Amino acid sequence: MKMLRWIVTVAAVVWCAGAAGAAEEKHAKGEAREASQSEHKVNINQASQAELMKLEGVGAGAARKIIAWREAHGPFKRLQDLEKVTGVGREVLEKNHGRLAVK
């Protein structure tokens, strides 16, 4: 009986340690994702169509419009100028807060 109790106790400890490790791993992955997003900002004055399409809410058509606007009017002076592009609104700026740069 003592042996069974000991086995159950060890199994419970191992199970709890596994759950705690999984939670820590999940937290670490979230921090890594945030760090990679903040390290790789998209410069809207130099980004290619493929780079622009990595942004939330920007598809192929919107990316082409951003590039066309940039070529017609010159570089963006501030992030809010992105709203001047037809089809790209404040929502795109909000969804990609912290991922955009103007250089």
Side-chain angles (χ1 to χ4, degrees):
M1 193 67 168
K2 288 183 182 182
M3 181 63 96
L4 180 62
R5 196 176 310 160
W6 184 81
I7 292 172
V8 170
T9 302
V10 170
V13 169
V14 169
W15 181 76
C16 289
E24 288 177 14
E25 184 178 329
K26 193 176 199 180
H27 182 69
K29 283 182 181 178
E31 287 179 349
R33 186 179 327 115
E34 288 176 10
S36 69
Q37 287 179 351
S38 65
E39 287 175 9
H40 182 67
K41 290 190 175 190
V42 176
N43 179 358
I44 59 175
N45 284 325
Q46 296 177 343
S48 66
Q49 180 177 345
E51 290 173 316
L52 290 168
M53 288 174 58
K54 291 179 183 177
L55 298 170
E56 285 190 49
V58 178
R64 283 193 299 270
K65 288 178 183 179
I66 292 169
I67 293 170
W69 193 95
R70 183 174 71 198
E71 290 173 352
H73 298 93
F76 294 97
K77 292 182 177 56
R78 55 194 187 109
L79 291 176
Q80 289 75 15
D81 290 343
L82 198 57
E83 293 179 37
K84 295 178 182 178
V85 179
T86 305
V88 179
R90 178 170 287 145
E91 293 175 358
V92 171
L93 289 172
E94 290 172 357
K95 287 180 183 178
N96 296 291
H97 180 73
R99 295 186 62 208
L100 298 170
V102 176
K103 296 180 184 176

